[in-house]
Amino acid sequence: MSDTLLAAAVSLGLATVTTLLLLLLSPPLAWWLAQSRSRARPLVEALVALPLVLPPTVIGFYLLLSMAPDGFLGAPWYAATGRALAFSFSGLVIGSLVYSLPFVVQPLSASFRTVDPGLLEAAAALGASPRHRFLTLILPMHRRALLAAAVLGFAHTVGEFGIVLMIGGNIPGETRVLSIALFDQVEALRYADAHATAGLLVTFAIATLILVYRLQANPEPRT
Amino acid sequence: MTLTVHGTVTRDTGFAARFDLELPLDGVTAILGPSGAGKSTLLRAIAGFEPNSRLHINVAGETWQSEASCRAPHQRSVSSVFQDSRLFGHLDVRGNLEYPLRQPPRDGFRMPFDEVVDRLELASLLEQRPATLSGGQRQRVALGRALLAPARLWLFDEPMSALDTPTRAELAPYLEQLCSEHRLPILYVSHALEEVLQIADRVIVMEAGEITASSPIADIGTTPLGSGLAASVLECTCSQYLDGYDLTELNVGEDRIYLRGRVPDETVPIRLLIHARDISIATGRVENLSLLNRLKARVVRVEDDGGGVCLVYLACHGQPLLARITQLSAEHLALAPGHDVTALIKTVALATLGDKRRDSTGPTDD
């Protein structure tokens, strides 16, 4: 059972770090996707959505190559930290960012598309710069959507398997997450432990989904 | 200090407007005209919200937009009040009012916070959310918020048109007071002359994207604004309130006009709006007629307005008066410049912002 708890701790740590980073990265990207008329937008949208349709092992394969000591992520990482990126917690975080990005960006972007442009014009006429409008109007007006997106991103990171399998390996306390632990427990025919791990994941998934749907059912408070 | 706007604005929908205007940055300029004429487009272009514009905009000597440069909306010293108040729902009234105060400084006049709260009587609303306010209260907050953003020019885009008549009457005095005390430079888009009469210093009329008429408000009787808006403004002084008849007696020279009801302040001169269609003309002695409002006037000129109708320009105690009568009547009466006539006025409106029209029909009038 203790290996389940250790794996749960890694999963929670990974999901927390990933979610926090996603909360920094996703809102500006989602806003750009919601507002931009650039011809590059469909391309960026497609790239963001790619993890939804590709097998995780494909993404994991390319991430593994790029995280190799001579890869385009691995080489600068090694130069900066003296450590390898592949099979490390940091490598898992990068993989999770890519994998969970659409789950945070897409609902945010959908919510941002409902912004009344008249309110933004009013704010501009009052002297607010685009950046200030984003921070003081768009983000606070979409608190619920932000929270829902964060919960989805967190839950999705906890449920990750394929990418972790490819780039994380199976190092207890570092890269061994719950889904990997479950795989090992079943392989070793430890069904009691497997039941505990699987039950934990199911309970967690149901709870988070209920939370997300409750957040999405109530519209943002508006004027 | 002037505002100049030259150039064109186009939309993806094919709409195009051409502007060629120069206005003093002093007092209220009313912009009238049918819907779709480009009134709001002009305001949006000045504020910087029309991306497809080839405009040269200069405000008080500063170029805001030209072929070479274009200031972002938030860097233009202009503040807007919209038809829908556009308050920020996640902030309370105080948060909305303080929103412009948290922005980086830009040049222009800004009213002190306490004065805005005081003048617009917002103190009791400060902790409320916009969703809990009435339409008139919301518009008062929007007005206050706009006055707290530093500006060289205020843009009012039909601030009254979403409000019902009683609410307009409630908001009007606030607006009149603010306009007259500070002489704020305001471009005020409206579709009713009555709404802007008491506060406007000049009127411009737009049709199909072009400015078709421009006139100081007192002179609209000599420079007609277009047939739909043919009217004149008569300045009068109050003489007395006739209690038994519920009429206020007004003086225009030695003639009198009677206005239904009481005026708010009998010591100040008031402007009456008289639509050209509401004036009849009589020659010779006028006797035994129920119409109370008769003004001596002299014909200045008679102009064909098309469709068997003509405009008769009158001078009434030194003030212009415009009548619209049929060609047939004009020929029957043989109206010609220099003739003395009597102008019979069916209704006069004490035009205030709140559209509180009071008809001066006499007790036995039709």
Side-chain angles (χ1 to χ4, degrees), chain A residues 50 53 55 94 107-108 140 163 216:
Chain A
L50 214 49
V53 291
I94 291 173
L108 267 188
I163 289 189
Q216 289 179 340

Side-chain angles (χ1 to χ4, degrees), chain B residues 45-109:
Chain B
I46 293 171
F49 298 138
E50 289 288 344
N52 298 323
S53 59
R54 294 171 58 84
L55 285 174
H56 199 284
I57 300 174
N58 189 293
V59 178
E62 281 184 12
T63 300
W64 284 6
Q65 192 173 335
S66 66
E67 285 97 65
S69 66
C70 182
R71 266 195 212 185
H74 68 281
Q75 287 164 333
R76 301 185 181 200
S77 293
V78 61
S79 192
S80 300
V81 179
F82 305 90
Q83 203 180 110
D84 45 337
S85 35
R86 301 195 184 176
L87 301 180
F88 306 135
H90 64 293
L91 301 172
D92 59 11
V93 169
R94 180 189 291 279
N96 272 276
L97 292 174
E98 286 176 348
Y99 194 83
L101 307 183
R102 289 194 237 110
Q103 309 308 329
R106 65 181 188 194
D107 61 290
F109 170 81

Side-chain angles (χ1 to χ4, degrees), chain A residues 75-201:
Chain A
W77 184 268
Y78 188 80
T81 65
R83 298 185 58 193
L85 194 52
F87 310 114
S88 74
F89 184 77
S90 305
L92 273 196
V93 169
I94 291 173
S96 304
L97 285 178
V98 173
Y99 191 48
S100 294
L101 189 67
F103 289 82
V104 180
V105 168
Q106 285 191 344
L108 267 188
S109 189
S111 183
F112 285 166
R113 275 177 231 267
T114 66
V115 166
D116 172 11
L119 284 182
L120 298 177
E121 284 182 3
L126 295 169
S129 66
R131 188 174 153 275
H132 193 85
R133 300 200 289 268
F134 184 68
L135 294 176
T136 61
L137 291 183
I138 295 154
L139 290 187
M141 285 193 298
H142 296 87
R143 273 172 305 202
R144 282 172 171 280
L146 276 167
L147 193 55
V151 172
L152 265 182
F154 187 92
H156 192 250
T157 307
V158 169
E160 193 177 319
F161 178 72
I163 289 189
V164 185
L165 195 68
M166 297 293 280
I167 63 172
N170 197 354
I171 307 164
E174 165 103 13
T175 63
R176 187 176 200 226
V177 297
L178 274 177
S179 53
I180 302 281
L182 175 63
F183 187 74
D184 288 347
Q185 286 158 355
V186 174
E187 289 258 280
L189 303 176
R190 287 160 52 202
Y191 283 166
D193 288 344
H195 268 301
T197 310
L200 191 64
L201 282 169

Side-chain angles (χ1 to χ4, degrees), chain B residues 183-205:
Chain B
R183 289 202 64 74
L184 301 175
I186 297 172
L187 295 191
Y188 192 127
V189 164
S190 173
H191 52 250
L193 203 45
E194 283 85 349
E195 184 182 320
V196 292
L197 190 69
Q198 294 296 325
I199 55 164
D201 296 284
R202 66 199 74 79
V203 179
I204 63 178
V205 178

